[in-house]
Amino acid sequence: MKVEICEAALDPWVELTAYERSRTDRPGGYGATAVFVGTMRDFNEGDEVRGMILEYYPGMTERQLQRMVAEGAERWELDDVLVVHRVGTLEPGEPIVLVAVWCAHRKEAFEGCRQIMEELKSKAPFWKKEQLEEGCRWVEKNTAGY
């Protein structure tokens, strides 16, 4: 299982392909892979968003993400999980997060991926500062996922 925070541009499909190629321990040992890619929107709360600065607390954020991944893997019997999250300055349309899970069956794959993403969105220590036409604002709450 891998959790990574990156400041460089994120290409989720390159990350996913590279990780899958590195998983040589059990080729064919899973029956389902579920993938979620989150992308920066150009709107929020009725306003146009021109950019965003995404901050995190080094060390603490990774530990929290690892805990979320471990809990999701245990609950849904996931064989493997990959989480890559972008920080720094982003523009609309850029990928922010990749969550991928591997397990025996599709139901657990879908549910496990969703749980990890929802936990990440609602509890991980990231702070978003949106750049609007009339200035900047901190995002105080995330959009509901359910």
Side-chain angles (χ1 to χ4, degrees):
M1 299 200 195
K2 178 180 176 184
V3 170
E4 181 180 339
I5 307 280
C6 64
E7 292 190 33
L10 169 62
D11 184 331
W13 311 115
V14 168
E15 295 287 339
L16 182 63
T17 300
Y19 192 71
E20 282 193 321
R21 285 186 180 144
S22 75
R23 300 178 70 243
T24 58
D25 57 330
R26 286 187 60 208
Y30 56 92
T33 305
V35 177
F36 175 85
V37 175
T39 306
M40 188 190 152
R41 295 186 311 262
D42 65 355
F43 65 93
N44 191 30
E45 298 181 10
D47 295 317
E48 179 184 344
V49 178
R50 296 182 171 191
M52 180 171 61
I53 299 170
L54 190 55
E55 297 181 357
Y56 76 115
Y57 194 106
M60 182 177 80
T61 302
E62 292 91 340
R63 282 190 303 276
Q64 181 118 3
L65 292 174
Q66 288 284 2
R67 188 174 48 67
M68 291 174 189
V69 164
E71 289 171 1
E74 183 177 323
R75 178 176 178 193
W76 297 104
E77 298 181 27
L78 306 178
D79 295 327
D80 205 353
V81 179
L82 171 64
V83 174
V84 182
H85 204 295
R86 174 87 187 274
V87 294
T89 303
L90 292 108
E91 294 183 10
E94 290 187 311
I96 299 174
V97 63
L98 163 66
V99 176
V101 304
W102 292 264
C103 65
H105 303 286
R106 68 184 174 277
K107 180 179 190 258
E108 289 79 12
F110 284 127
E111 295 298 328
C113 187
R114 182 176 181 125
Q115 178 191 343
I116 291 168
M117 186 59 225
E118 294 301 332
E119 288 278 312
L120 187 156
K121 187 77 170 160
S122 64
K123 297 179 181 173
F126 290 103
W127 296 273
K128 300 175 186 175
K129 188 175 192 178
E130 295 177 330
Q131 299 164 340
L132 311 172
E133 182 177 341
E134 62 278 352
C136 296
R137 71 174 173 209
W138 289 99
V139 175
E140 295 182 17
K141 64 183 183 321
N142 286 309
T143 54
Y146 284 101

Short mmCIF file of all heavy atoms in Angstrom, two decimals, residues 14-53:
data_model
loop_
_atom_site.label_atom_id
_atom_site.label_comp_id
_atom_site.label_asym_id
_atom_site.label_seq_id
_atom_site.Cartn_x
_atom_site.Cartn_y
_atom_site.Cartn_z
N VAL A 14 -0.37 7.79 -15.40
CA VAL A 14 1.04 7.39 -15.33
C VAL A 14 1.33 6.78 -13.96
O VAL A 14 2.00 5.75 -13.86
CB VAL A 14 1.97 8.60 -15.62
CG1 VAL A 14 3.42 8.28 -15.28
CG2 VAL A 14 1.83 9.03 -17.08
N GLU A 15 0.83 7.41 -12.90
CA GLU A 15 1.02 6.88 -11.54
C GLU A 15 0.42 5.49 -11.40
O GLU A 15 1.04 4.58 -10.85
CB GLU A 15 0.39 7.82 -10.51
CG GLU A 15 1.03 9.18 -10.41
CD GLU A 15 2.38 9.15 -9.72
OE1 GLU A 15 2.67 8.20 -8.97
OE2 GLU A 15 3.15 10.11 -9.93
N LEU A 16 -0.80 5.32 -11.91
CA LEU A 16 -1.49 4.04 -11.81
C LEU A 16 -0.74 2.95 -12.58
O LEU A 16 -0.51 1.85 -12.07
CB LEU A 16 -2.92 4.18 -12.34
CG LEU A 16 -3.79 2.94 -12.26
CD1 LEU A 16 -4.01 2.51 -10.82
CD2 LEU A 16 -5.12 3.20 -12.95
N THR A 17 -0.33 3.26 -13.80
CA THR A 17 0.39 2.29 -14.62
C THR A 17 1.71 1.89 -13.97
O THR A 17 2.05 0.70 -13.90
CB THR A 17 0.63 2.86 -16.03
OG1 THR A 17 -0.64 3.14 -16.63
CG2 THR A 17 1.39 1.88 -16.90
N ALA A 18 2.45 2.88 -13.48
CA ALA A 18 3.74 2.59 -12.84
C ALA A 18 3.54 1.72 -11.60
O ALA A 18 4.30 0.77 -11.36
CB ALA A 18 4.46 3.89 -12.48
N TYR A 19 2.53 2.02 -10.81
CA TYR A 19 2.29 1.24 -9.60
C TYR A 19 1.88 -0.19 -9.95
O TYR A 19 2.37 -1.14 -9.35
CB TYR A 19 1.23 1.91 -8.72
CG TYR A 19 1.17 1.30 -7.34
CD1 TYR A 19 2.19 1.49 -6.43
CD2 TYR A 19 0.09 0.51 -6.97
CE1 TYR A 19 2.15 0.91 -5.17
CE2 TYR A 19 0.04 -0.08 -5.72
CZ TYR A 19 1.07 0.13 -4.82
OH TYR A 19 1.02 -0.44 -3.57
N GLU A 20 1.01 -0.33 -10.93
CA GLU A 20 0.58 -1.68 -11.33
C GLU A 20 1.77 -2.50 -11.83
O GLU A 20 1.88 -3.68 -11.54
CB GLU A 20 -0.53 -1.62 -12.37
CG GLU A 20 -1.88 -1.31 -11.76
CD GLU A 20 -3.02 -1.56 -12.71
OE1 GLU A 20 -2.90 -1.27 -13.92
OE2 GLU A 20 -4.06 -2.06 -12.23
N ARG A 21 2.67 -1.87 -12.58
CA ARG A 21 3.85 -2.58 -13.08
C ARG A 21 4.78 -2.99 -11.94
O ARG A 21 5.49 -3.99 -12.04
CB ARG A 21 4.60 -1.72 -14.08
CG ARG A 21 3.90 -1.65 -15.41
CD ARG A 21 4.73 -0.92 -16.44
NE ARG A 21 4.01 -0.90 -17.69
CZ ARG A 21 4.03 0.12 -18.55
NH1 ARG A 21 4.78 1.18 -18.30
NH2 ARG A 21 3.33 0.07 -19.65
N SER A 22 4.78 -2.23 -10.86
CA SER A 22 5.65 -2.55 -9.72
C SER A 22 5.09 -3.68 -8.86
O SER A 22 5.81 -4.24 -8.05
CB SER A 22 5.87 -1.30 -8.86
OG SER A 22 4.72 -1.02 -8.07
N ARG A 23 3.84 -4.00 -9.03
CA ARG A 23 3.17 -5.03 -8.22
C ARG A 23 3.40 -6.41 -8.83
O ARG A 23 2.52 -6.95 -9.49
CB ARG A 23 1.67 -4.76 -8.13
CG ARG A 23 1.32 -3.43 -7.51
CD ARG A 23 -0.18 -3.19 -7.49
NE ARG A 23 -0.79 -4.10 -6.52
CZ ARG A 23 -1.65 -5.05 -6.82
NH1 ARG A 23 -2.05 -5.24 -8.04
NH2 ARG A 23 -2.14 -5.83 -5.88
N THR A 24 4.55 -6.97 -8.62
CA THR A 24 4.89 -8.25 -9.22
C THR A 24 4.67 -9.43 -8.28
O THR A 24 4.85 -10.58 -8.68
CB THR A 24 6.37 -8.25 -9.68
OG1 THR A 24 7.19 -7.99 -8.54
CG2 THR A 24 6.60 -7.21 -10.75
N ASP A 25 4.26 -9.17 -7.04
CA ASP A 25 4.14 -10.23 -6.04
C ASP A 25 3.00 -11.21 -6.34
O ASP A 25 3.13 -12.39 -6.08
CB ASP A 25 3.97 -9.64 -4.64
CG ASP A 25 2.77 -8.71 -4.53
OD1 ASP A 25 2.41 -8.08 -5.54
OD2 ASP A 25 2.21 -8.61 -3.43
N ARG A 26 1.88 -10.73 -6.88
CA ARG A 26 0.74 -11.60 -7.12
C ARG A 26 0.04 -11.25 -8.43
O ARG A 26 -1.10 -10.81 -8.42
CB ARG A 26 -0.27 -11.49 -5.98
CG ARG A 26 0.18 -12.17 -4.71
CD ARG A 26 -0.92 -12.17 -3.66
NE ARG A 26 -2.09 -12.88 -4.16
CZ ARG A 26 -3.33 -12.61 -3.74
NH1 ARG A 26 -3.56 -11.68 -2.87
NH2 ARG A 26 -4.34 -13.29 -4.21
N PRO A 27 0.67 -11.45 -9.56
CA PRO A 27 -0.04 -11.17 -10.80
C PRO A 27 -1.27 -12.08 -10.90
O PRO A 27 -1.18 -13.27 -10.68
CB PRO A 27 0.97 -11.48 -11.90
CG PRO A 27 2.10 -12.18 -11.25
CD PRO A 27 2.00 -11.99 -9.78
N GLY A 28 -2.41 -11.48 -11.18
CA GLY A 28 -3.65 -12.25 -11.25
C GLY A 28 -4.25 -12.55 -9.89
O GLY A 28 -5.23 -13.27 -9.79
N GLY A 29 -3.70 -11.96 -8.83
CA GLY A 29 -4.17 -12.22 -7.47
C GLY A 29 -5.34 -11.37 -7.05
O GLY A 29 -5.72 -11.38 -5.88
N TYR A 30 -5.92 -10.63 -7.97
CA TYR A 30 -7.08 -9.81 -7.64
C TYR A 30 -8.04 -9.86 -8.83
O TYR A 30 -7.65 -10.15 -9.96
CB TYR A 30 -6.68 -8.37 -7.31
CG TYR A 30 -5.89 -7.70 -8.42
CD1 TYR A 30 -6.53 -6.96 -9.41
CD2 TYR A 30 -4.50 -7.79 -8.47
CE1 TYR A 30 -5.81 -6.36 -10.43
CE2 TYR A 30 -3.78 -7.20 -9.49
CZ TYR A 30 -4.44 -6.49 -10.45
OH TYR A 30 -3.73 -5.89 -11.46
N GLY A 31 -9.30 -9.57 -8.57
CA GLY A 31 -10.30 -9.63 -9.63
C GLY A 31 -10.89 -8.28 -9.96
O GLY A 31 -11.62 -8.15 -10.95
N ALA A 32 -10.61 -7.27 -9.15
CA ALA A 32 -11.22 -5.96 -9.39
C ALA A 32 -10.25 -4.84 -9.01
O ALA A 32 -9.50 -4.96 -8.04
CB ALA A 32 -12.50 -5.83 -8.57
N THR A 33 -10.31 -3.78 -9.79
CA THR A 33 -9.59 -2.55 -9.49
C THR A 33 -10.59 -1.41 -9.64
O THR A 33 -11.28 -1.32 -10.65
CB THR A 33 -8.43 -2.31 -10.48
OG1 THR A 33 -7.58 -3.45 -10.48
CG2 THR A 33 -7.64 -1.07 -10.12
N ALA A 34 -10.68 -0.56 -8.62
CA ALA A 34 -11.52 0.63 -8.71
C ALA A 34 -10.62 1.85 -8.59
O ALA A 34 -9.70 1.87 -7.76
CB ALA A 34 -12.57 0.64 -7.61
N VAL A 35 -10.89 2.86 -9.42
CA VAL A 35 -10.04 4.05 -9.47
C VAL A 35 -10.91 5.29 -9.40
O VAL A 35 -11.94 5.39 -10.09
CB VAL A 35 -9.22 4.06 -10.79
CG1 VAL A 35 -8.39 5.33 -10.89
CG2 VAL A 35 -8.35 2.83 -10.90
N PHE A 36 -10.47 6.25 -8.58
CA PHE A 36 -11.11 7.57 -8.53
C PHE A 36 -10.04 8.61 -8.79
O PHE A 36 -8.96 8.57 -8.20
CB PHE A 36 -11.73 7.83 -7.15
CG PHE A 36 -12.29 9.22 -7.04
CD1 PHE A 36 -13.56 9.51 -7.49
CD2 PHE A 36 -11.51 10.25 -6.52
CE1 PHE A 36 -14.06 10.81 -7.42
CE2 PHE A 36 -12.01 11.54 -6.45
CZ PHE A 36 -13.28 11.82 -6.90
N VAL A 37 -10.36 9.56 -9.67
CA VAL A 37 -9.48 10.70 -9.92
C VAL A 37 -10.29 11.96 -9.66
O VAL A 37 -11.35 12.17 -10.26
CB VAL A 37 -8.96 10.70 -11.38
CG1 VAL A 37 -8.15 11.96 -11.65
CG2 VAL A 37 -8.14 9.45 -11.66
N GLY A 38 -9.80 12.79 -8.73
CA GLY A 38 -10.43 14.07 -8.44
C GLY A 38 -9.70 15.18 -9.16
O GLY A 38 -8.47 15.21 -9.17
N THR A 39 -10.47 16.08 -9.76
CA THR A 39 -9.92 17.16 -10.58
C THR A 39 -10.40 18.50 -10.04
O THR A 39 -11.54 18.62 -9.58
CB THR A 39 -10.39 16.99 -12.04
OG1 THR A 39 -10.04 15.68 -12.48
CG2 THR A 39 -9.76 18.01 -12.95
N MET A 40 -9.57 19.52 -10.12
CA MET A 40 -9.96 20.84 -9.64
C MET A 40 -11.04 21.45 -10.53
O MET A 40 -10.89 21.52 -11.75
CB MET A 40 -8.75 21.78 -9.60
CG MET A 40 -9.11 23.08 -8.91
SD MET A 40 -7.86 24.32 -9.08
CE MET A 40 -8.91 25.77 -8.97
N ARG A 41 -12.12 21.87 -9.90
CA ARG A 41 -13.22 22.55 -10.61
C ARG A 41 -12.90 24.03 -10.76
O ARG A 41 -12.13 24.60 -9.99
CB ARG A 41 -14.52 22.44 -9.82
CG ARG A 41 -15.06 21.05 -9.68
CD ARG A 41 -16.43 21.08 -9.00
NE ARG A 41 -16.45 21.90 -7.80
CZ ARG A 41 -16.34 21.43 -6.56
NH1 ARG A 41 -16.20 20.15 -6.35
NH2 ARG A 41 -16.38 22.25 -5.53
N ASP A 42 -13.56 24.66 -11.72
CA ASP A 42 -13.40 26.11 -11.91
C ASP A 42 -14.54 26.89 -11.25
O ASP A 42 -14.77 28.06 -11.56
CB ASP A 42 -13.27 26.46 -13.39
CG ASP A 42 -14.53 26.16 -14.19
OD1 ASP A 42 -15.50 25.58 -13.62
OD2 ASP A 42 -14.55 26.49 -15.39
N PHE A 43 -15.25 26.26 -10.32
CA PHE A 43 -16.34 26.92 -9.60
C PHE A 43 -16.46 26.33 -8.21
O PHE A 43 -16.10 25.18 -7.98
CB PHE A 43 -17.67 26.77 -10.36
CG PHE A 43 -18.14 25.34 -10.44
CD1 PHE A 43 -19.00 24.81 -9.49
CD2 PHE A 43 -17.69 24.51 -11.46
CE1 PHE A 43 -19.41 23.48 -9.56
CE2 PHE A 43 -18.09 23.18 -11.53
CZ PHE A 43 -18.95 22.66 -10.58
N ASN A 44 -16.98 27.11 -7.29
CA ASN A 44 -17.30 26.64 -5.94
C ASN A 44 -18.19 27.68 -5.28
O ASN A 44 -17.96 28.88 -5.41
CB ASN A 44 -16.03 26.43 -5.10
CG ASN A 44 -16.31 25.70 -3.81
OD1 ASN A 44 -17.23 24.89 -3.73
ND2 ASN A 44 -15.51 25.97 -2.79
N GLU A 45 -19.22 27.20 -4.61
CA GLU A 45 -20.15 28.07 -3.88
C GLU A 45 -20.67 29.21 -4.76
O GLU A 45 -20.82 30.35 -4.31
CB GLU A 45 -19.49 28.62 -2.62
CG GLU A 45 -19.11 27.53 -1.63
CD GLU A 45 -18.48 28.07 -0.37
OE1 GLU A 45 -18.51 29.30 -0.13
OE2 GLU A 45 -17.96 27.24 0.40
N GLY A 46 -20.93 28.91 -6.03
CA GLY A 46 -21.50 29.88 -6.94
C GLY A 46 -20.51 30.87 -7.54
O GLY A 46 -20.90 31.78 -8.27
N ASP A 47 -19.23 30.73 -7.25
CA ASP A 47 -18.21 31.66 -7.75
C ASP A 47 -17.26 30.96 -8.72
O ASP A 47 -16.99 29.76 -8.58
CB ASP A 47 -17.38 32.23 -6.59
CG ASP A 47 -18.20 33.08 -5.64
OD1 ASP A 47 -19.02 33.88 -6.13
OD2 ASP A 47 -18.03 32.93 -4.42
N GLU A 48 -16.71 31.73 -9.65
CA GLU A 48 -15.67 31.22 -10.53
C GLU A 48 -14.37 31.15 -9.74
O GLU A 48 -13.99 32.10 -9.05
CB GLU A 48 -15.49 32.15 -11.73
CG GLU A 48 -14.40 31.71 -12.67
CD GLU A 48 -14.15 32.67 -13.81
OE1 GLU A 48 -15.00 33.55 -14.06
OE2 GLU A 48 -13.09 32.56 -14.43
N VAL A 49 -13.69 30.02 -9.84
CA VAL A 49 -12.41 29.82 -9.16
C VAL A 49 -11.33 29.76 -10.23
O VAL A 49 -11.38 28.94 -11.13
CB VAL A 49 -12.41 28.54 -8.30
CG1 VAL A 49 -11.07 28.34 -7.64
CG2 VAL A 49 -13.53 28.59 -7.26
N ARG A 50 -10.34 30.64 -10.11
CA ARG A 50 -9.28 30.73 -11.11
C ARG A 50 -8.05 29.89 -10.79
O ARG A 50 -7.25 29.60 -11.65
CB ARG A 50 -8.86 32.18 -11.27
CG ARG A 50 -10.00 33.02 -11.82
CD ARG A 50 -9.58 34.42 -12.02
NE ARG A 50 -10.62 35.14 -12.73
CZ ARG A 50 -10.46 36.34 -13.24
NH1 ARG A 50 -9.30 36.95 -13.12
NH2 ARG A 50 -11.44 36.93 -13.87
N GLY A 51 -7.93 29.52 -9.54
CA GLY A 51 -6.80 28.72 -9.11
C GLY A 51 -6.96 28.36 -7.65
O GLY A 51 -7.90 28.80 -6.99
N MET A 52 -6.03 27.57 -7.15
CA MET A 52 -6.11 27.16 -5.76
C MET A 52 -4.71 26.84 -5.25
O MET A 52 -3.87 26.32 -5.99
CB MET A 52 -6.99 25.92 -5.63
CG MET A 52 -7.15 25.42 -4.22
SD MET A 52 -8.39 24.12 -4.05
CE MET A 52 -7.75 22.84 -5.11
N ILE A 53 -4.49 27.16 -4.00
CA ILE A 53 -3.28 26.73 -3.30
C ILE A 53 -3.73 25.70 -2.29
O ILE A 53 -4.59 25.96 -1.45
CB ILE A 53 -2.57 27.92 -2.62
CG1 ILE A 53 -2.15 28.95 -3.67
CG2 ILE A 53 -1.38 27.42 -1.80
CD1 ILE A 53 -1.66 30.26 -3.10
#
